[in-house]
Amino acid sequence: MTDARAMHAITPDTTGTVDVVLDYARRRALWEDVPLDEPKTPDELAAVASGSITDEGIGAQRAIDLFEHVLAPACITTDHPGYLSFIPSAPTKAALSFDLVVSASSIYGGSWLEGSGAVFAENEVLHWLASEFGLPAGAGGVFVQGGTIGNLSALVAARHDARRAREASDEPLPSRWAVVCSSGAHSSIASAAAVMDVDVLTAETDAEGRLRGDAVRAVLAERGQDVFAVVATGGTTNLGIVDDIASVGEAARAHGIWFHVDGAYGLAAMLVERTRPLFRGVELADSLVVDPHKWLFAPFDACALIYREPAKARAAHTQKAEYLDHLTDKPDWNPSDLAVQLTRRSRGLPLWFSLATHGTAHYRAAIDAGIVLAADIADEIRRRPEVSLVHEPQLSVVVFRREGWALADYQAWSDRLLAEQHAFVVPSSHNGEPVLRFAIISPMTTIELLRDILDSLV
Ligand SMILES: *Cc1c(COP(=O)(O)O)cnc(C)c1O
């Protein structure tokens, strides 16, 4: 007979398991020069890694060995200084190690009743961010999985609020609700619109790719009756372009429409003096998101979703069920009630711990370093004849082309760079043209490394 308690009781076996795991985690967290590693095919992995799920179990040591030597090397190290694709990650040692504590503590982060200490600490961070972004004292929110869920949750709250306002004033509801954003808005806005079954109205951008209030007004003049939210992007993912947030927010306000700022990647740059002025108008937001797992040096996954009036989010999102009445009938601050979710990990705690440990000045300096590095490598690109900038970097994304190259050349070069374990830079595209893109997040990324990469393009 298998003992039902064998996995849970504290015995030499379970202690050994915890030790094996923490020992590996410690080595991994403190590993200098972690290799980039690279993906394997399903067949390659099946040949060396299948068969781990058995009736009797293979034991902690064999399982961790399999992970360390076979599975982990088949995962690209997203916090490697040479990982410059998509948006990299660069968690602080404090944040990533505290993530283990979150797991070890079995905290339920959805309700005040169950997780008040954790919720309080997360709220400390959310309130600090809200005040940096110029939101009023009543603002608050929740850490959700990522910008995608943050944007969806904010837009669901926005539509709920618009519907409630129409119904209260006996105005007709539109046959199709719609959200306004620019063509540079993140794909998650279209994804949210698809989930919500609403239309996306794309407003024109200016010559620099920025959404401005006049373009929003033009769209609202045509279909304003249907629009429940206007979205500005605080740092587009591909080019790092910050919309003219103030004029967009004013246009939304003038029509009494919910204003959402998607700052999943870029809004962190508002914490820095150098780039803060770019974000003028964020204080007008009814809701906003910024991803700590992007430029606030927290591990995957965390998005800070903040509302100007959290009560509006609560009205849209609180789940009603008999077994939950005990929670939802109270005036408590329940993070679950503010987004599309119920059970939640206290995923804001790693950022809380790291911020508390290091202080905000270190964060500002680390963000600023990425902006300076992006400007420096842009200068370097300007000096080299074989490459040219596609766009002046505003934040820490640098997009450029290799003159004379087609997509196949970019792809072959990118594959070689990874195969040599030098860097991970995948081709992107802009207006149909294949381009290269450095997304700089890690303070460990150096100008020398970026110059080396440029050298390999000659
Ligand atoms: C990354 C990003 C998102 C999506 O965030 P996830 O955390 O990946 O879900 C949304 N908007 C912008 C502007 C982003 O850069």
Side-chain angles (χ1 to χ4, degrees), residues 186-367:
H186 189 263
S187 49
S188 56
I189 302 298
S191 157
V195 172
M196 296 168 70
D197 192 26
V198 299
D199 293 339
V200 177
L201 307 179
T202 306
E204 295 288 324
T205 52
D206 68 10
E208 278 91 54
R210 305 196 311 164
L211 179 63
R212 310 182 74 95
D214 45 6
V216 171
R217 284 176 206 272
V219 173
L220 294 180
E222 267 190 38
R223 271 192 72 182
Q225 278 308 308
D226 303 342
V227 175
F228 68 91
V230 173
V231 178
T233 309
T236 60
T237 321
N238 203 27
L239 295 177
I241 294 169
V242 181
D243 286 340
D244 183 14
I245 297 173
S247 70
V248 174
E250 281 153 15
R253 280 255 172 121
H255 281 76
I257 295 171
W258 186 289
F259 178 45
H260 177 67
V261 176
D262 178 3
Y265 152 62
L267 195 51
M270 194 173 172
L271 302 173
V272 168
E273 281 317 312
R274 189 189 306 274
T275 37
R276 190 175 181 84
L278 291 174
F279 295 89
R280 204 174 55 82
V282 167
E283 70 280 359
L284 300 174
D286 293 293
S287 55
L288 59 81
V289 299
V290 59
D291 276 359
H293 65 220
K294 287 181 173 169
W295 213 358
L296 288 172
F297 315 113
F300 300 132
D301 46 26
C303 162
L305 162 63
I306 304 179
Y307 299 95
R308 170 178 299 272
E309 295 177 59
K312 291 184 173 174
R314 212 171 284 125
H317 289 295
T318 303
Q319 293 188 24
K320 304 278 185 208
E322 286 172 342
Y323 85 104
L324 294 173
D325 286 349
H326 187 67
L327 296 175
T328 51
D329 288 351
K330 293 198 176 78
D332 288 345
W333 184 274
N334 295 324
S336 284
D337 296 346
L338 300 172
V340 183
Q341 59 179 359
L342 184 59
T343 298
R344 68 176 290 274
R345 177 178 181 83
S346 297
R347 50 167 52 84
L349 282 185
L351 175 58
W352 164 77
F353 180 75
S354 183
L355 263 177
T357 299
H358 296 298
T360 57
H362 269 115
Y363 275 75
R364 297 186 211 276
I367 296 163

Side-chain angles (χ1 to χ4, degrees), residues 119-184:
V119 175
F120 179 87
E122 289 185 309
N123 285 347
E124 292 270 288
V125 179
L126 292 166
H127 292 153
W128 172 67
L129 289 172
S131 84
E132 287 287 324
F133 300 149
L135 293 178
V142 56
F143 288 96
V144 295
Q145 176 223 320
T148 299
I149 298 297
N151 285 334
L152 172 63
S153 299
L155 293 179
V156 166
R159 181 178 60 181
H160 186 273
D161 192 54
R163 185 189 286 141
R164 189 200 46 77
R166 297 281 171 95
E167 285 170 353
S169 60
D170 269 338
E171 282 178 58
L173 297 176
S175 57
R176 297 276 306 165
W177 287 106
V179 53
V180 178
C181 62
S182 86
S183 56

